[in-house]
Amino acid sequence: MTKTVNLLKSLLHNFGVVLVVFGFAFLGRKIDSFLGITGFHSVFTTAAAWLFLVIGFLVRVWAAFHFYEQRMKVISLVPQKKLITTGPFRYSRNPLYLGGNLFIFLGSVLFLGSPAGIVLTAINLIFVDLMIRREEKQLAHEFGREWMSYRNRVRRWL
C-alpha cells in the first residue's frame, strides 16, 4: 500500500511540475511575441519535445518515488537527513533537476516552439547549477566521506 501511495504522490507532484514548466514556456512565447520573434514548429521538434517531456517526467517520478520511500520531502527548505544513492541517483546526483529543469523545460519550449523559451531555459540552468553547488557544500558538511565517495563515482548531471 505504501509503495502505491508513494507512486501516486510522485505522479501528482510531477504533473504539477509539468504544468508549472508549461507556464514558463508560455512566458517564453509571450516574450517571443513581444519581441516579434517567430516561433518554430516541425515534426522533428514536436517529436523531440515529446521525447524530452516523457523522459523528464519519468526520471522525476522515479527520483521523487525514492524520496518518498525514504520519508523525505522532494521540496524542502532545510537540508535532508539522508543521502539517497539508489535508483536514478546511481546515474545522476541530481535526477530531479535533470528531469525537470533540463528535460521538461526543454521539452515544453520545443513543444510551444519558443526561441525565447530556449534562452530562458539556459539561464534557468545556470541558476540551478549554482543552487546545486550550494546544496553540494551542505551535503559535504552533513555526510562527509559518504558524500565524497558518492560524488566521486556519480556525475552531477549525467
Side-chain angles (χ1 to χ4, degrees), residues 34-45:
F34 178 76
L35 297 175
I37 299 171
T38 304
F40 54 85
H41 294 283
S42 72
V43 172
F44 174 77
T45 58

Side-chain angles (χ1 to χ4, degrees), residues 79-146:
Q80 304 284 359
K81 297 298 178 194
K82 293 181 182 177
L83 181 64
I84 301 176
T85 60
T86 59
F89 296 90
R90 288 181 302 200
Y91 309 104
S92 169
R93 295 194 310 257
N94 299 285
L96 289 164
Y97 293 131
L98 179 68
N101 294 82
L102 179 60
F103 290 131
I104 294 175
F105 268 65
L106 191 55
S108 67
V109 298
L110 288 175
F111 189 81
L112 294 180
S114 174
I118 292 173
V119 173
L120 290 173
T121 298
I123 292 168
N124 172 62
L125 288 173
I126 292 168
F127 286 107
V128 168
D129 194 63
L130 292 171
M131 190 169 52
I132 287 170
R133 291 173 191 275
R134 189 197 69 202
E135 289 175 357
E136 287 179 341
K137 287 179 185 174
Q138 292 171 338
L139 291 167
H141 181 265
E142 183 75 25
F143 298 105
R145 287 182 189 257
E146 184 183 6

